[in-house]
Amino acid sequence: MAKENIYILGIESSCDDTSAAILKNNSILSNVVANQKIHAEYGGVVPELASRAHQSNIVPVVHQAIEKAGIDKNDLDAIAFTRGPGLMGSLLVGTSFAKSLAYGLDIPLIDVNHMQGHILAHFIDEKDYKKPPFPFLAMTISGGHTQIVQVNDYFDMQVIGETIDDAVGEAYDKSGKVLGLGYPAGPEIDKRAQLGNPKAFKFTKPKVKGLDFSFSGLKTAILYFVQNETKNNPNFVKENIDDICASIQYTIIGILMDKLKLAVKQTGITHIAIGGGVSANSGIRKALKDAEQKFGWTTYIPKFEYTTDNAAMIAIVGYLKYLEKDFSEIDVMATARLKF
Ligand code: KG4
Ligand code: ZN
């Protein structure tokens, strides 16, 4: 007889968050995330420091996830871990740990593509959360990714557009650096944007064919704009910070929405699911709500803790693969540029 409940441990260590989660079937029992504060001093993720921090965090984070879930490690049915894409030194920590524990407990090991994790996070059971129906379009927007994926089924998905340079979160963070804001600057730009005039300053949108994105030009345009204006008025940024943030946000959200509209036009799919840290942004949330009214789209944004990098999204992919008996060999390798 099939086991009634399946317990999966998920491990995520692809960038600068060390996370472990326990899933009982589709439901989360625990989702522990240790953020690495060290990178703020450097204005961006420093790979070597990230790897070292994962090494000190991984054991306590996994321990805490098991304890919070109220289970014993011997109750686990499988261990799912992020194989890639991500920073090699970071991925290696989670991969090696997952392999050793799965070997020690003699349970299956399941490798997970981080990007599929962001997408399948929509299938975690959550009270009052409606899951998207197949097919849907998934847009993942974060500090590391900007991607539109057509999702036909759990494991039948195709990238139809992605950034050719910076990710959208990077555009926020790098613009913030030019403006003298702290790292990561996305949340602060968003806060200030709500107080300013989005049409105060005009930044041109990049011309990129099809569904691909580009954000590196915007960062340069903002840098030149600020340099130019401060020549005439050294207090320009201080005096206009809310309007500058509102104008940056207006441009960025315009770029994202233009591509989403094109994706809907090309595919005929109107169910849109958003993931990644930038999905917290008030501008994108408002634009999606407006699109529901105006174009009849249905949009889906999961609980914030499942949109940023977290192990719950890795565990749900693990669970879905477990049902398919899609297990990994013990010699599976972490892969920095993993495709799906
Ligand atoms: O998913 P995430 O936590 O980490 C990865 O990058 O994988 O995303 C972090 C990114 C940062 O670039 C941060 O500035 C951005 O998400 N971010 C925001 C907002 N909250 C976080 N960007 C714009 N508006 C926000 N409210
Ligand atoms: Zn991510």
Side-chain angles (χ1 to χ4, degrees):
M1 202 177 78
K3 220 172 152 243
E4 191 185 351
N5 288 317
I6 305 300
Y7 293 92
I8 308 279
L9 165 66
I11 294 175
E12 155 64 29
S13 74
S14 66
C15 189
D16 61 339
D17 296 311
T18 318
S19 181
I22 306 285
L23 198 84
K24 177 184 174 187
N25 305 324
N26 290 67
S27 310
I28 296 299
L29 299 181
S30 64
N31 185 31
V32 178
V33 184
N35 303 114
Q36 303 179 359
K37 300 273 178 287
I38 181 93
H39 308 288
E41 286 173 41
Y42 299 89
V45 177
V46 184
E48 184 51 36
L49 295 181
S51 176
R52 269 190 255 164
H54 283 304
Q55 286 176 41
S56 27
N57 289 343
I58 190 92
V59 172
V61 164
V62 170
H63 182 77
Q64 217 184 323
I66 292 175
E67 204 172 73
K68 268 196 168 173
I71 63 161
D72 186 87
K73 65 179 187 314
N74 293 309
D75 296 328
L76 292 171
D77 292 288
I79 298 178
F81 68 97
T82 305
R83 180 181 175 200
L87 301 170
M88 197 53 178
S90 291
L91 290 167
L92 279 171
V93 178
T95 306
S96 320
F97 186 87
K99 283 186 189 184
S100 334
L101 192 57
Y103 186 73
L105 295 173
D106 195 20
I107 53 176
L109 181 68
I110 301 173
D111 67 280
V112 173
N113 181 306
H114 178 88
M115 301 308 293
Q116 284 189 330
H118 275 296
I119 295 168
L120 297 177
H122 292 276
F123 295 94
I124 296 170
D125 269 349
E126 195 56 51
K127 201 168 160 274
D128 300 327
Y129 186 72
K130 213 162 88 254
K131 296 168 184 169
F134 297 116
F136 65 91
L137 296 177
M139 182 167 78
T140 306
I141 43 177
S142 76
H145 342 283
T146 308
Q147 198 171 67
I148 303 180
V149 177
Q150 178 171 332
V151 187
N152 299 318
D153 206 336
Y154 293 128
F155 297 107
D156 174 8
M157 44 179 95
Q158 188 192 356
V159 179
I160 57 174
E162 62 191 333
T163 185
I164 57 170
D165 43 53
D166 290 350
V168 59
E170 260 179 299
Y172 269 103
D173 297 338
K174 289 180 176 173
S175 306
K177 204 168 182 176
V178 172
L179 299 173
L181 305 177
Y183 172 85
E188 186 166 0
I189 294 181
D190 184 17
K191 211 167 81 197
R192 292 188 172 279
Q194 294 169 64
L195 306 171
N197 172 8
K199 306 247 171 96
F201 307 106
K202 192 166 166 41
F203 301 110
T204 38
K205 289 192 220 161
K207 291 187 178 52
V208 188
K209 270 205 293 214
L211 296 173
D212 284 342
F213 300 86
S214 166
F215 287 102
S216 65
L218 182 64
K219 167 196 67 193
T220 317
I222 292 163
L223 177 67
Y224 289 155
F225 164 77
V226 167
Q227 281 177 345
N228 218 15
E229 294 291 340
T230 42
K231 253 192 258 156
N232 306 324
N233 172 9
N235 291 325
F236 176 78
V237 170
K238 219 165 125 199
E239 287 168 11
N240 296 280
I241 186 75
D242 293 346
D243 284 348
I244 301 172
C245 288
S247 304
I248 292 173
Q249 178 129 312
Y250 180 76
T251 313
I252 291 178
I253 302 308
I255 296 169
L256 295 176
M257 290 305 292
D258 284 353
K259 295 294 178 172
L260 263 186
K261 282 181 213 162
L262 185 60
V264 169
K265 194 170 157 200
Q266 286 186 3
T267 60
I269 299 170
T270 54
H271 290 273
I272 318 287
I274 311 292
V278 181
S279 64
N281 184 268
S282 66
I284 191 72
R285 284 177 178 251
K286 183 172 181 311
L288 291 168
K289 274 270 154 295
D290 290 349
E292 291 198 338
Q293 300 289 326
K294 217 163 142 188
F295 311 124
W297 297 2
T298 314
T299 64
Y300 306 81
I301 305 181
K303 220 165 109 180
F304 188 62
E305 69 167 299
Y306 305 143
T307 66
T308 57
D309 286 350
N310 70 88
M313 70 184 199
I314 303 306
I316 187 75
V317 183
Y319 174 65
L320 294 165
K321 282 191 161 187
Y322 184 92
L323 297 179
E324 303 285 320
K325 296 205 168 18
D326 185 359
F327 303 139
S328 320
E329 297 297 332
I330 197 82
D331 60 357
V332 59
M333 303 274 277
T335 309
R337 295 185 164 273
L338 188 63
K339 300 260 181 223
F340 62 82

